[in-house]
Amino acid sequence: MAAALQVLPRLARAPLHPFLWGGPVARLASSMALAEQAQQLFESAVGAVLPGPMLHRTLSLDPGGRQLKVRDRSFQLKQNLYLVGFGKAVLGMAAAAEELLGQHLVQGVISIPKGIRAAMERAGKREMLLKPHSRVQVFEGAEDNLPDRDALRAALAIRQLAEGLTADDLLLVLISGGGSALLPAPIPPVTLEEKQTLTKLLAARGATIQELNTIRKTLSQLKGGGLAQAAYPAQVVSLILSDVVGDPVEVIASGPTVASSHSVQDCLHILNRYGLRAALPRSVKTVLSRADSDPHGPHTCGHVLNVIIGSNVLALAEAQQQAEALGYQAVVLSAAMQGDVKSVAQFYGLLAHVARTRLTPFMAGDSVEEDAQLHELAAELQIPDLQLEEALESMARGRGPVCLLAGGEPTVQLQGSGKGGRNQELALRVGAEFRRWPLGPIDVLFLSGGTDGQDGPTEAAGAWVTPELASEAAAEGLDMATFLAHNDSHTFFCRLQGGVHLLHTGMTGTNVMDTHLLFLRPW
């Protein structure tokens, strides 16, 4: 096994003889070497969007320390700078901001996931930690990415700080993925439990992140521009690490510094779509009935500057560059993969099959029907800026090893009570799709990982699979269909070969959605 990993740098560069790599032991070595490469590329993607470097690219102090420069804008500093933040990457963002701003920072409050400080300490990531005697107060909450009482206390502390500011003050707002769950402040009489129950029901029925955030904003004191309103008349600068397809600032963390453009009718349409309107608590109906006449976000946010400082696009570009350095033809399919996880898995399985015919000369032209199916499925998924034709044409031209990259956030409709996350579920479903299509004579590997290092309520970031997954599972008495029916992907991967297929990175301190890697290497 170790020998297989040692040959990894040269595996992508040279064609491999089918006789040499045809036996079970050699095939295992080839898969493990590919898995090692996949994990390297995933880690390089994550490294490109760590909080410190991104913040330093965006913020700077002038030589006299009297002005804060945010890209091409400047703000006067006179002991008037305050900071709030919420999200999975905010601890590292706050640490970088405090190091840069020094004594200019008067006070701060951040809301971060429970346990993330201890995780960063254990991992030795000191750059992600605030200094001793920091001026930033830290609240930890939202265990398993769900709003809770601890997160509510943090949200109220953030609101209190914002409401105390004056026209002479400047509020720096740090926002990243997971921020919505870390900033819960329901509009009375809605309780946290009622809002959480409604959000869970919507998520379980397959609501998109955009739909979830539309509901959250309408029921929140701080989302949908509520935080910006609370801070008025202070100037507000929001530095945003995007975890949403297309980087819409009004959707990320439910847009606390962006005036909401959604109406009550939008909310009712979503609730009707998922069959939940009739079951709404009286308190939610009360808030919805008065929302149009009593908007809780400002009509404009002219006192706010919203800046995207990092996204999936940046992460994928770094991984693409690293793949090319390893000798692969690397193509970014899309940074906006979305849709039901079953359909996304079908897309990747069919793509691998069609790619096989493009990469092997003697099979060219054998997949006309499958090619049409692939394009039809891509059209159904409505993936923005999908570079499918570029990917297929590059395979036909080069006929060498290929790495296809994508980012995004598929949705999972929960049917069972198993343990998993969308990345592990996607990987398991892709593994199931691989057995539907003959994929030889090429080595194939698919990896899906969450850039925050935590896929659902598990300690894994994701998983990787090869076409041998079905036979490996059968050899250990594991029925893939049963685990999928119960949304129990994590249990499946833990039991299969001692968990070797799981991707473990620990909490990374950043979050820009998921990264998907599909490797195709002719023998």
Side-chain angles (χ1 to χ4, degrees):
M1 190 75 68
L5 300 185
Q6 290 170 4
V7 298
L8 118 87
R10 67 174 184 269
L11 286 180
R13 293 190 171 94
L16 304 174
H17 194 281
F19 176 77
L20 178 64
W21 290 93
V25 175
R27 298 283 294 160
L28 174 61
S30 179
S31 294
M32 292 306 298
L34 264 182
E36 182 74 8
Q37 287 184 330
Q39 293 183 52
Q40 284 185 350
L41 293 194
F42 177 77
E43 289 171 4
S44 71
V46 171
V49 288
L50 291 176
M54 287 187 297
L55 214 72
H56 282 281
R57 284 195 294 266
T58 307
L59 289 182
S60 63
L61 293 173
D62 72 352
R66 296 183 179 180
Q67 285 190 330
L68 175 67
K69 294 186 177 179
V70 185
R71 294 196 174 160
D72 59 347
R73 292 276 299 275
S74 295
F75 299 87
Q76 288 294 126
L77 294 179
K78 44 187 176 181
Q79 287 298 300
N80 62 337
L81 180 59
Y82 296 81
L83 179 151
V84 298
F86 31 91
K88 294 180 178 179
V90 160
L91 180 60
M93 293 170 76
E98 188 174 46
E99 181 182 5
L100 175 69
L101 301 171
Q103 296 301 310
H104 292 288
L105 182 61
V106 178
Q107 182 187 356
V109 179
I110 61 173
S111 178
I112 60 175
K114 189 171 184 178
I116 194 167
R117 277 188 297 185
M120 293 298 139
E121 288 171 359
R122 286 195 300 271
K125 297 181 178 179
R126 296 185 179 277
E127 72 279 6
M128 297 281 189
L129 299 171
L130 293 165
K131 299 295 187 290
H133 313 296
S134 169
R135 297 184 180 186
V136 179
Q137 184 180 9
V138 179
F139 290 84
E140 293 193 18
E143 191 169 9
D144 294 334
N145 203 32
L146 296 172
D148 56 21
R149 290 287 166 185
D150 291 329
L152 177 59
R153 281 191 287 272
L156 296 179
I158 287 171
R159 186 187 69 181
Q160 183 178 19
L161 187 151
E163 288 177 340
L165 301 179
T166 71
D168 294 326
D169 294 324
L170 173 63
L171 179 64
L172 191 63
V173 183
L174 308 178
I175 302 175
S176 77
S180 193
L182 287 158
L183 195 71
I187 299 173
V190 177
T191 67
L192 179 62
E193 290 75 19
E194 287 171 332
K195 186 178 176 185
Q196 188 173 348
T197 297
L198 181 58
T199 303
K200 280 183 179 178
L201 287 171
L202 284 165
R205 297 189 184 193
T208 65
I209 185 66
Q210 290 85 352
E211 290 171 329
L212 289 172
N213 284 350
T214 296
I215 300 296
R216 286 167 175 157
K217 285 190 284 188
T218 306
L219 301 178
S220 173
Q221 299 178 59
L222 295 177
K223 299 179 175 73
L227 178 59
Q229 184 181 35
Y232 185 83
Q235 289 183 298
V236 177
V237 174
S238 284
L239 305 181
I240 304 167
L241 183 57
S242 174
D243 72 327
V244 179
V245 167
D247 306 334
V249 292
E250 72 276 8
V251 174
I252 302 164
S254 304
T257 57
V258 184
S260 178
S261 60
H262 295 291
S263 68
V264 170
Q265 290 305 313
D266 294 325
C267 293
L268 294 177
H269 177 71
I270 294 167
L271 294 167
N272 282 331
R273 178 181 303 170
Y274 297 103
L276 293 173
R277 184 172 177 179
L280 290 179
R282 183 186 300 272
S283 60
V284 173
K285 292 179 181 178
T286 298
V287 170
L288 290 178
S289 69
R290 70 191 187 202
D292 273 339
S293 59
D294 184 24
H296 55 276
H299 293 293
T300 62
C301 283
H303 61 302
V304 178
L305 173 64
N306 290 301
V307 181
I308 298 286
I309 65 170
S311 69
N312 201 270
V313 173
L314 184 62
L316 291 173
E318 177 64 25
Q320 179 184 29
Q321 184 177 338
Q322 294 298 319
E324 289 171 346
L326 287 171
Y328 286 93
Q329 298 178 69
V331 178
V332 176
L333 289 170
S334 174
M337 290 295 291
Q338 56 189 338
D340 183 76
V341 69
K342 296 179 184 176
S343 298
V344 175
Q346 290 170 2
F347 172 80
Y348 282 126
L350 193 52
L351 175 59
H353 172 66
V354 171
R356 174 194 65 139
T357 64
R358 302 295 178 100
L359 289 170
T360 48
F362 61 88
M363 300 188 70
D366 284 359
S367 66
V368 176
E369 183 178 344
E370 290 85 355
D371 203 310
Q373 289 178 27
L374 177 64
H375 284 81
E376 183 179 338
L377 183 55
E380 289 175 4
L381 285 168
Q382 298 182 326
I383 302 166
D385 301 319
L386 180 64
Q387 302 299 307
L388 180 58
E389 288 306 320
E390 179 187 344
L392 295 176
E393 288 172 9
S394 69
M395 293 178 207
R397 288 195 306 268
R399 301 200 187 281
V402 172
C403 177
L404 303 179
L405 308 93
E409 197 167 277
T411 55
V412 177
Q413 294 193 40
L414 297 177
Q415 297 172 321
S417 57
K419 188 175 184 180
R422 62 178 175 267
N423 289 283
Q424 292 164 81
E425 173 122 356
L426 176 59
L428 183 52
R429 289 192 178 278
V430 170
E433 289 295 322
F434 281 164
R435 67 180 174 184
R436 293 182 56 194
W437 306 102
L439 294 176
I442 59 173
D443 289 324
V444 179
L445 183 141
F446 176 79
L447 178 147
S448 182
T451 53
D452 62 353
Q454 184 178 31
D455 185 33
T458 77
E459 294 184 357
W464 60 269
V465 296
T466 67
E468 290 74 40
L469 184 73
S471 59
E472 292 168 352
E476 297 194 23
L478 301 173
D479 181 38
M480 295 166 62
T482 299
F483 285 95
L484 284 171
H486 292 89
N487 300 113
D488 204 16
S489 55
H490 184 68
T491 305
F492 172 87
F493 283 117
C494 283
R495 292 183 183 175
L496 180 67
Q497 298 179 336
V500 70
H501 287 264
L502 287 169
L503 175 63
H504 285 286
T505 62
M507 296 180 81
T508 62
T510 191
N511 183 19
V512 291
M513 298 187 289
D514 305 332
T515 297
H516 305 156
L517 304 172
L518 179 61
F519 292 81
L520 304 149
R521 191 175 59 194
W523 292 351

